[in-house]
Amino acid sequence: MNKIFVPFAAIVSSGIFAYSYWKEWMAINWWGEAANRYPEKEEAPYFHASEELYLKVLLFFALAFSVIFLFSVYYSFKGKWKAVFFCFLFSMIAILVVMINGAIK
């Protein structure tokens, strides 16, 4: 069970976040879409104040989740289950950091 669930969870959790952050970053940087920022709202996170800072935060999390995703895939093919579990753990910690980052005003 662990040899199926943990690699699946590690790959999917980090992969979905990597995809969403890369998609948003590329859409703003390369495809000319407007950033979804709300600087006038009081409950908006701190990085909504500037588009440059918003893009840096998007890029940072895209890179972090991409690295976790790549290591998860690599260690899954190698059969190193402890490393895959640590990738899953790092993915969950990164998701917690995303939530804390979004809560900082």
Side-chain angles (χ1 to χ4, degrees):
M1 177 75 175
N2 283 342
K3 291 183 181 181
I4 296 171
F5 176 72
V6 174
F8 175 76
I11 291 169
V12 170
S13 63
S14 59
I16 289 172
F17 276 89
Y19 169 76
S20 65
Y21 278 104
W22 277 120
K23 183 178 176 264
E24 179 78 15
W25 186 81
M26 283 190 244
I28 295 168
N29 255 2
W30 296 344
W31 302 323
E33 291 185 18
N36 294 328
R37 299 180 312 112
Y38 304 102
E40 68 279 352
K41 290 190 176 182
E42 185 178 314
E43 63 272 358
Y46 71 95
F47 55 88
H48 281 243
S50 142
E51 187 166 342
E52 181 183 341
L53 184 58
Y54 184 73
L55 287 171
K56 284 182 182 180
V57 169
L58 285 177
L59 182 61
F60 173 78
F61 284 119
L63 289 171
F65 281 112
S66 295
V67 167
I68 295 170
F69 173 74
L70 292 174
F71 279 123
S72 298
V73 171
Y74 175 75
Y75 288 133
S76 293
F77 282 120
K78 287 290 190 178
K80 296 185 178 188
W81 307 119
K82 287 184 182 181
V84 173
F85 179 75
F86 280 118
C87 288
F88 174 71
L89 182 67
F90 290 138
S91 177
M92 294 298 113
I93 290 171
I95 292 169
L96 177 64
V97 169
V98 167
M99 293 185 329
I100 291 171
N101 184 55
I104 297 173
K105 308 255 184 290

